[in-house]
Amino acid sequence: MQAREYSPVDISSHDFWDQPFAVRDEAFAQLRAADGLSWHHPWPSMFGIEEPGFWALTRRADIVYVSQHPELFTSADGVALNPMPAEIQRFASFFLAMDPPQHTVYRRLISSAFTPRNVRQIEEQIHRNAVGIVDDLVGAGDIDFVAACSARLPMLTIMDMLGVPSADQASVAYAAEKLFGMSDEEYSTADEQANDPAAQIMLLNNTGVELARFRRKNPGDDLMTSIVNAEVDGHRLTDEEIGAFLILLASAGNDTTKQTTTHAMMALVDNPDQREWLMADFENRIGQAIEEFVRWSSPVLQFARFVTEDTEINGQPVAAGDKVGLFYCSANRDETVFEDAGAFDLTRASNPHLGFGGGGPHFCLGNQLAKAELRNLFRELLTRLKSVEFGEPDLLYSFFAHGVKRLPAHVR
Ligand code: HEM
């Protein structure tokens, strides 16, 4: 193979990811305007794995193409852009790290448990929890908005859905949070970053296994009972697979909605005209607004795939074994798709963002659930709080999640 030249635009260093989203997007804008596809130095690995580098896909159309061709761009060797052993990823990410047809079976098994009755029950729980969270906020004064609001609903939703007993909820929440914030030094020292994830992963896995065993013995009228009984083409989930699903849910379903809540609320406070537009007809406009909340926040910055055979992406040859990074954060600012892409504009009539992925087999399974959470929470926040003022956000250092760790707020 010919030696490839690395792009002069640095998106691999710690310093690059230490900058705010809008500053980083200036580099992505250069890449989008140039070739769209560029070769970069590998990210540092916590596991001592050496890779030659990765292709960065920065335009929306290329990311959609790769997402929709799993036969050419596999997830089975892992979807982490930072070099990480595939076995660890398979254990921790369950069917996120599989390709069709195996992926299809698991996805159908899980989807079949979400019966209309279970979904109704979950929506009622979401509504009750959203009301309870905002009850605590009204008149609260000085708070950290992330801890007092954004972090609560996604975690409560998953705990309720799976039936995690209240006594275990704090440790499960901590494990999930730690797993997601792994790259931020505040959450983990370098030593912990290598060893701690295993401990958090095991705790989540064991919780899932225990819940599954419990529901097999004591069937209830809940989602976990439907999950243990689900059957597709003669396949059923084992307790260990349900444990792996809990790890996937705890990481995929938690921090994402939490970050969207924080970013969207900050944007609404900064843009009173947008808030006014939304509140003029909340029930009819919130669906469209949520699409912009997710585009604006881009809580998942990227996922990766490996190339399965020599092929091309938009005319650029790529070789079997190459890694490609799908930068959803960049796709969501693609100026050929979004007018005034850097503006928070709830009135966008068309908003084909890639916040939930590029539309292939792995498209976010929880997108409806996330939307139900955001709809219920923002209804309460925007109608019941008399005022919200924010201080400076404390940003999460991460090349994977667009996060805010703390946000000082004064609420009345
Ligand atoms: C605003 C909130 C959310 C965002 C931005 C988000 C984003 C994503 C993204 C980018 C993917 C990968 C898509 C791909 O590779 O094509 C994904 C997959 C997934 N998400 Fe979400 N997600 C959110 C909320 C949730 C929630 C609430 C849940 C469930 C409780 C959830 C469960 C999942 C699962 C299970 C997958 C793996 C699907 C598969 O591999 O087939 N997500 N999500």
Side-chain angles (χ1 to χ4, degrees):
M1 193 181 71
Q2 273 180 302
R4 294 189 184 120
E5 270 192 38
Y6 291 110
S7 165
V9 180
D10 167 31
I11 57 166
S12 305
S13 67
H14 183 287
D15 286 352
F16 175 75
W17 291 97
D18 214 12
Q19 307 171 101
F21 187 101
V23 178
R24 295 195 301 250
D25 193 56
E26 291 167 14
F28 285 117
Q30 277 184 52
L31 296 174
R32 287 192 298 270
D35 299 326
L37 190 63
S38 45
W39 182 247
H40 294 266
H41 288 282
W43 285 355
S45 170
M46 295 187 276
F47 301 91
I49 297 178
E50 291 200 12
E51 288 180 359
F54 65 88
W55 294 105
L57 270 63
T58 55
R59 292 180 186 154
R60 183 186 178 281
D62 295 339
I63 295 174
V64 167
Y65 172 75
V66 167
S67 303
Q68 296 185 355
H69 287 88
E71 72 291 359
L72 294 174
F73 307 100
T74 176
S75 297
D77 295 330
V79 291
L81 193 49
N82 51 318
M84 190 189 284
E87 312 81 67
I88 293 190
Q89 296 192 56
R90 277 188 216 116
F91 183 67
S93 325
F94 194 28
F95 56 82
L96 185 65
M98 286 180 195
D99 292 326
Q102 190 190 24
H103 168 263
T104 323
V105 172
Y106 284 104
R107 189 146 164 147
R108 282 179 58 205
L109 268 169
I110 295 293
S111 306
S112 73
F114 284 83
T115 59
R117 192 181 152 69
N118 283 334
V119 169
R120 244 192 339 270
Q121 200 176 45
I122 294 166
E123 286 224 359
E124 280 161 17
Q125 285 163 343
I126 290 175
H127 177 70
R128 266 202 311 278
N129 286 330
V131 171
I133 289 166
V134 177
D135 283 348
D136 294 345
L137 288 181
V138 174
D142 292 329
I143 54 160
D144 166 18
F145 188 80
V146 175
C149 181
S150 314
R152 294 186 61 195
L153 187 57
M155 189 60 81
L156 285 171
T157 304
I158 292 170
M159 304 285 184
D160 279 352
M161 253 168 52
L162 299 177
V164 178
S166 1
D168 297 342
Q169 291 196 356
S171 58
V172 172
Y174 178 77
E177 175 135 319
K178 200 134 186 199
L179 203 56
F180 221 80
M182 221 156 73
S183 50
D184 192 283
E185 279 163 12
E186 184 178 324
Y187 288 88
S188 306
T189 61
D191 199 31
E192 278 176 334
Q193 282 180 29
N195 298 315
D196 228 40
Q200 310 308 338
I201 286 171
M202 284 319 295
L203 187 139
L204 294 172
N205 183 69
N206 292 342
T207 307
V209 169
E210 278 170 30
L211 288 172
R213 285 192 187 142
F214 177 75
R215 279 303 172 210
R216 278 194 213 283
K217 283 205 196 100
N218 310 280
D221 182 18
D222 62 354
L223 181 74
M224 185 51 89
T225 305
S226 301
I227 290 178
V228 297
N229 292 329
E231 188 170 332
V232 168
D233 299 341
H235 292 271
R236 298 184 83 161
L237 291 164
T238 64
D239 293 348
E240 283 65 34
E241 286 167 344
I242 293 173
F245 182 54
L246 196 122
I247 305 172
L248 173 59
L249 271 194
S251 52
N254 225 334
D255 206 78
T256 44
T257 319
K258 162 179 154 187
Q259 305 303 355
T260 309
T261 302
T262 309
H263 289 300
M265 195 62 190
M266 281 198 293
L268 287 167
V269 168
D270 287 346
N271 297 275
D273 57 321
Q274 296 296 312
R275 180 182 171 152
E276 242 168 69
W277 177 84
L278 173 59
M279 296 317 288
D281 189 2
F282 182 89
E283 294 305 329
N284 283 312
R285 293 182 174 174
I286 185 64
Q288 184 178 340
I290 285 173
E291 300 299 336
E292 182 68 350
F293 290 178
V294 177
R295 184 193 76 91
W296 176 253
S297 322
S298 298
V300 179
L301 298 170
Q302 46 77 17
F303 266 126
R305 302 286 189 264
F306 281 98
V307 179
T308 59
E309 60 185 75
D310 293 359
T311 181
E312 289 187 354
I313 301 172
N314 194 18
Q316 165 70 51
V318 293
D322 284 354
K323 183 179 253 190
V324 294
L326 315 181
F327 286 92
Y328 307 125
C329 56
S330 175
N332 287 348
R333 296 292 181 275
D334 188 333
E335 37 290 281
T336 65
V337 179
F338 303 102
E339 212 181 305
D340 204 359
F344 178 69
D345 180 1
L346 302 181
T347 70
R348 290 177 194 282
S350 148
N351 197 341
H353 66 82
L354 301 190
F356 290 119
H362 294 279
F363 187 75
C364 177
L365 184 63
N367 78 90
Q368 293 300 333
L369 197 67
K371 288 173 186 174
E373 289 179 36
L374 294 167
R375 188 170 59 244
N376 279 282
L377 186 59
F378 276 88
R379 184 188 297 113
E380 300 302 313
L381 286 171
L382 297 176
T383 56
R384 292 177 55 207
L385 293 182
K386 289 196 190 70
S387 73
V388 182
E389 287 160 44
F390 286 140
E392 277 305 302
D394 185 0
L395 303 179
L396 176 77
Y397 168 77
S398 172
F399 41 74
F400 176 64
H402 180 206
V404 176
K405 286 191 287 191
R406 272 179 293 273
L407 178 60
H410 188 83
V411 296
R412 281 193 294 134

